[in-house]
Amino acid sequence: MLSVLESKEGILWILTLDGISRYEGDRVTEYRAYKVGAGYIGSSKLTRILEGIKGNIFAISSNSGIFKYTQSENAFSHIFDTEQQLPKYGDITSSFADSIGRIWLGF
């Protein structure tokens, strides 16, 4: 396990080397880089799961940036690409969600 988050809704999000598992008490949903459609997340180098102040779930990738969980698609979408927007900084080594909704990335 790399990271564990219990959301405000009581959902347990577990980050492992293979991806993310969402545990809702009676079922587990897996999110993996090799899936297509529901259950997809666009990176296999995830380092952290964060919850924003509005209850949004974000996955941080060391080499790809930030992914946001979308309930209607049951998948994570890429919302910030570090390779395109911050190429000279290298891999993300730390991350933090603050009390006013910003996500901070450390390189």
Side-chain angles (χ1 to χ4, degrees), residues 41-43 57-59 61 64-69 76-79:
I41 187 162
S43 177
I57 302 298
F58 299 95
S61 167
S64 299
I66 305 171
F67 295 84
K68 180 181 176 185
Y69 176 71
F76 285 82
S77 58
H78 205 189
I79 63 166

Side-chain angles (χ1 to χ4, degrees), residues 10 14 32-33 41 44 55 57 62 64 66 77 82-84 88 95 98 102:
I14 303 165
R32 305 290 187 252
I41 187 162
S44 61
I57 302 298
S62 64
S64 299
I66 305 171
S77 58
T82 52
E83 290 179 336
Q84 291 182 6
K88 66 181 180 178
S95 55
D98 70 18
R102 295 178 294 199

Side-chain angles (χ1 to χ4, degrees), residues 3 5-6 9-10 18 39 41 50 60 64 69 72 74-75 78 80-81 85-86 88 93 103 105:
S3 181
L5 168 74
E6 183 175 357
E9 296 178 342
D18 196 34
I41 187 162
L50 302 171
I60 311 299
S64 299
Y69 176 71
S72 61
N74 193 28
H78 205 189
F80 184 79
D81 186 350
Q85 294 167 304
L86 299 170
K88 66 181 180 178
T93 58
I103 295 178
L105 303 175

Side-chain angles (χ1 to χ4, degrees), residues 12-74:
L12 195 61
W13 297 85
I14 303 165
L15 175 62
T16 67
L17 291 174
D18 196 34
I20 297 173
S21 296
R22 175 185 168 157
Y23 177 69
E24 295 183 76
D26 61 343
R27 66 183 158 162
V28 175
T29 305
E30 296 180 337
Y31 302 90
R32 305 290 187 252
Y34 51 79
K35 287 190 171 187
V36 177
Y40 174 74
I41 187 162
S43 177
S44 61
K45 294 190 176 189
L46 301 169
T47 58
R48 184 107 188 259
I49 301 173
L50 302 171
E51 182 173 20
I53 59 171
K54 296 180 181 175
N56 294 317
I57 302 298
F58 299 95
I60 311 299
S61 167
S62 64
N63 66 343
S64 299
I66 305 171
F67 295 84
K68 180 181 176 185
Y69 176 71
T70 305
Q71 177 78 34
S72 61
E73 297 174 14
N74 193 28

